[in-house]
Amino acid sequence: MNGVPHIQVTDLTYRYEPDAPKALDTINLSVPRGQFVAILGHNGSGKSTLAKLLNGLFLPTEGTVHISGMDTRDDDKIWDIRRTAGMVFQNPDNQLVATEVYDDVAFGLENIGVPPDDMPPRIDEALALTGMSEFKNRAPHLLSGGQKQRVAIAGILAMHPEALILDEATAMLDPQGRKEVLQTVRRLNEEQGITVVWITHFMEEATHAQRVLVMDHGQIAMDGSPREIFAQVDRLRDLRLDVPPMTQLARLLKERDIDIAPDVLNVEELVKEVKRLCPLCLKN
Ligand SMILES: Nc1ncnc2c1ncn2[C@@H]1O[C@H](COP(=O)(O)OP(=O)(O)OP(=O)(O)O)[C@@H](O)[C@H]1O
Ligand SMILES: [Mg+2]
């Protein structure tokens, strides 16, 4: 639907109990189709609560959430919303149910009533998109953490979602697994145009987003491009966050009179700066 924001959150407030404090406080947010948004924020700032409201797992206490124009409070739309905005959680072991990777991806399709004959091409496509085709007959519990998360993502992809909401999907993974999962999701965003909401505590991961939101006390405290957000070191510190490691390094070098751009965000940008500063360092 052209013109309608993919995700539209309007004056959203959420309380876990009627007399509990607000876990989310009057949030307004509009995410265009195809955007890659990272959400940062200290523990308890409201990230997971917001994620669960985005695909209708929780319903607003006040205000509204619309996905592709569908109101999450609309009983008739809730299954469409859950299918179209898939969630990936932190612990890969809690998301896999079958004894073979292929059956695990099939499980979600059975749940939404896809006819058995239509399943194989959808499953094969989802496994190919996540780079998991060669593992299709493996037992999920024998895969690495990163591979398990890619199977979880394949299970969602088979349902042909338009948005992926990932709540610290890399938190339990080693650096290689984190890289695999982030690269998979970036590719799905770039090549399939899937809208991504990427919740993380890793600042480096947020540098790859088009837009970064920082949450604090159930509100959106900052909203901008990674470069705009990570230039505000003091403000981030007030919100109990750091700048990404490579930004810290570039700033330290700058303080020691090295003529490096202080707004370097990640390894790729640091490498570019080193090449610029030190042509002699280049291998032919
Ligand atoms: N099941 C629950 N019942 C009651 N309050 C909850 C529940 N889950 C979260 N909260 C409260 O809601 C607020 C927001 O929590 P939320 O889990 O959304 O934060 P978060 O930003 O995801 O934190 P983290 O970085 O630790 O995952 C916190 O004050 C938290 O204590
Ligand atoms: Mg959380």
Side-chain angles (χ1 to χ4, degrees):
M1 258 184 291
N2 287 334
V4 179
H6 195 180
I7 300 173
Q8 179 69 54
V9 175
T10 310
D11 293 331
L12 171 64
T13 291
Y14 186 77
R15 295 176 197 270
Y16 278 91
E17 302 289 340
D19 48 0
K22 294 173 182 173
L24 296 178
D25 184 3
T26 333
I27 290 194
N28 285 286
L29 172 66
S30 183
V31 178
R33 192 169 287 280
Q35 193 167 60
F36 191 127
V37 190
I39 304 186
L40 306 173
H42 57 75
N43 293 131
S45 56
K47 305 178 298 297
S48 296
T49 307
L50 177 60
K52 287 173 187 150
L53 276 132
L54 292 184
N55 85 336
L57 277 177
F58 293 169
L59 296 178
T61 306
E62 288 166 43
T64 54
V65 175
H66 288 85
I67 304 288
S68 299
M70 298 181 284
D71 189 330
T72 58
R73 296 171 309 176
D74 186 342
D75 282 345
D76 295 339
K77 296 279 165 42
I78 195 66
W79 290 106
D80 264 351
I81 289 171
R82 298 235 175 111
R83 186 196 58 74
T84 193
M87 280 278 279
V88 182
F89 296 95
Q90 194 177 93
N91 189 343
D93 292 319
N94 294 346
Q95 301 179 72
L96 306 180
V97 290
T99 51
E100 268 190 30
V101 165
Y102 187 91
D103 296 336
D104 213 284
V105 179
F107 181 73
L109 293 180
E110 283 163 16
N111 275 344
I112 60 167
V114 173
D117 287 351
D118 295 348
M119 285 189 194
R122 289 173 69 152
I123 297 170
D124 288 339
E125 183 195 27
L127 289 171
L129 285 170
T130 50
M132 291 302 292
S133 302
E134 62 181 295
F135 299 93
K136 75 181 193 184
N137 300 118
R138 293 276 190 92
H141 71 275
L142 297 179
L143 301 175
S144 73
Q147 291 165 341
K148 286 179 192 168
Q149 283 299 54
R150 282 151 64 200
V151 174
I153 294 169
I156 294 171
L157 282 181
M159 295 195 252
H160 294 167
E162 295 168 14
L164 278 176
I165 300 157
L166 303 104
D167 188 359
E168 296 194 50
T170 58
M172 301 180 75
L173 308 181
D174 60 22
Q176 181 56 35
R178 282 212 296 275
K179 210 181 282 173
E180 279 172 23
V181 173
L182 180 58
Q183 276 171 358
T184 302
V185 174
R186 285 177 69 188
R187 213 181 50 240
L188 293 171
N189 170 253
E190 284 162 17
E191 294 174 8
Q192 311 286 317
I194 294 179
T195 306
V196 174
V197 177
W198 180 274
I199 296 172
T200 185
H201 282 287
F202 294 101
M203 302 300 129
E204 160 91 17
E205 291 178 355
T207 68
H208 298 285
Q210 290 167 342
R211 177 180 181 188
V212 177
L213 305 175
V214 181
M215 295 198 61
D216 180 42
H217 290 103
Q219 298 184 321
I220 294 174
M222 300 173 82
D223 179 356
S225 69
R227 213 171 295 287
E228 286 163 354
I229 298 296
F230 292 125
Q232 301 178 59
V233 186
D234 295 338
R235 175 90 174 107
L236 285 167
R237 197 169 298 133
D238 288 345
L239 297 170
R240 305 189 354 225
L241 298 178
D242 261 328
V243 295
M246 291 306 120
T247 314
Q248 286 182 32
L249 177 59
R251 295 176 76 92
L252 285 172
L253 293 170
K254 183 88 182 168
E255 279 168 22
R256 284 163 178 69
D257 295 329
I258 292 175
D259 182 25
I260 192 168
D263 64 347
V264 159
L265 289 176
N266 47 37
V267 174
E268 290 81 356
E269 293 189 12
L270 189 78
V271 168
K272 247 191 233 163
E273 277 297 279
V274 169
K275 284 182 177 169
R276 182 181 67 80
L277 291 169
C278 176
L280 289 176
C281 305
L282 291 174
K283 281 198 262 172
N284 310 317

